[in-house]
Amino acid sequence: MTQIRSPLPDSRGHFGSFGGSFVSETLMHALEELREAYGRWSQDEEFVRRMDEDLAHYVGRPSPVYFAARLTAAAGGAQIYLKREDLNHTGAHKINNTVGQGLLAHYMGKPRVIAETGAGQHGVASATIAARLNKSCRVYMGETDIERQAINVFRMRLLGAEVTGVSSGSATLKDALNEAMRDWVTNIDDTFYIIGTVAGPHPYPEMVRDFNAVVGREARRQMLQIQDDLPDALVACVGGGSNAMGLFHPFIEDRDVQMFGVEAAGRGLASGAHAASLCAGRPGVLHGCRTYLLDDDAGQIRHTHSISAGLDYPGVGPEHAWLKETGRAKYVSVTDDEALAAFHQLTRLEGIMPALESSHALAYGFKLAAEMRADQSVLINLSGRGDKDVETVAALEGLTL
Ligand SMILES: *Cc1c(COP(=O)(O)O)cnc(C)c1O
């Protein structure tokens, strides 16, 4: 884990006018402790070595960059490459971050970890690392999500985690996040809160980005090896934004590399049933930081919708808000139907079943490649595998398993 000395965020967690930490006095104290510990251990030789070892032998890194020949032929434009985060242990990029935060909890001497989860993917990744490091683990999950994601709930329990249902608000991810924050405030001494994406108060957006930046560091090296040049464009889906930030970060100074973040347009931006915070939202404060979010005229957080539970979040990491404002990255959106079509397309053309989240990146990457020249290249982050989504896809198409 070679640290990239990034100028942002500043010492108080600001990315321009975004980020920061809008939390209670008690939480301020916990965040300060975390900030100091992260600053110290991320520079510690033994910590970095253990992190690298875990990424290699437990997660299975480096993940390959795969040239998608048939997908490229079908698009008829730029060469399409896939960064295979779907091949990681537990099936997505999320484990990169939980390995890092789990190890940090260990070095800080915290015997208990907590996490919030929507679809259950981050909950499973957290329960996995808690089992390995022998820590007690509680995962907060909305009651609505518990019903929708029974298999992941069972997985977490098999791993020894306690899954606590949250019935407040819409009983989904944002409510689970609030409840986890409340737990943390009451149990600061023995508890480490593992946040699952680049959102939340400082230092989470920076720390989660750094733990996921291994994706971009590898991809940069791999693309140079494969084609002796960097890709012309990077494409990644954006829920909270951790897989996209992880891929983008090591390329930020490479001005010739375009970056595209793909949000969930759900049933279409005009329908209101979507989760496209950057494309259709406005700046405000959510979960302890200033960022783009989806709210109504009264300032209430709106109900979101996406075919993929992992993109179904009414906010986004503050660094993405900054990249949007500065124009360094572009943010676009893809509907449920387009993502579903891309899911089938990759499955049939390449024998790779993508997560529905990643299918959003694939749908846009394919359109983009089609408009580019054959001597150009597009690298798409395949953030996770689709096994978890088979039931959803079957249900959408009126089939039963
Ligand atoms: C959770 C998840 C996402 C969305 O989270 P980000 O923080 O935006 O990366 C994307 N893809 C997969 C496979 C996921 O599990």
Side-chain angles (χ1 to χ4, degrees), residues 155-172:
R155 243 182 225 140
M156 288 181 256
R157 290 186 173 140
L158 285 173
L159 287 159
E162 186 189 348
V163 181
T164 301
V166 176
S167 53
S168 55
S170 53
T172 58

Side-chain angles (χ1 to χ4, degrees), residues 92-94 121 197 237-243 310-311 355 357-358 383-384:
H93 68 287
K94 289 206 170 73
Q121 293 304 107
T197 190
C237 65
V238 176
S242 66
N243 86 89
L311 300 186
E357 290 83 4
S358 323
S383 55

Side-chain angles (χ1 to χ4, degrees), residues 2 6 24 46 68 78 88 113 126 145 150 156 173 179 183 185 191 212 233 250 277 304 330 333 352 362 369 378:
T2 346
S6 167
S24 68
E46 190 198 78
N88 294 341
V113 298
S126 300
D145 290 330
M156 288 181 256
L173 176 60
E179 209 49 45
D183 179 317
V185 172
T191 300
N212 267 302
S277 321
T304 50
K330 292 203 165 52
S333 65
I352 299 172
L362 288 160
V378 174

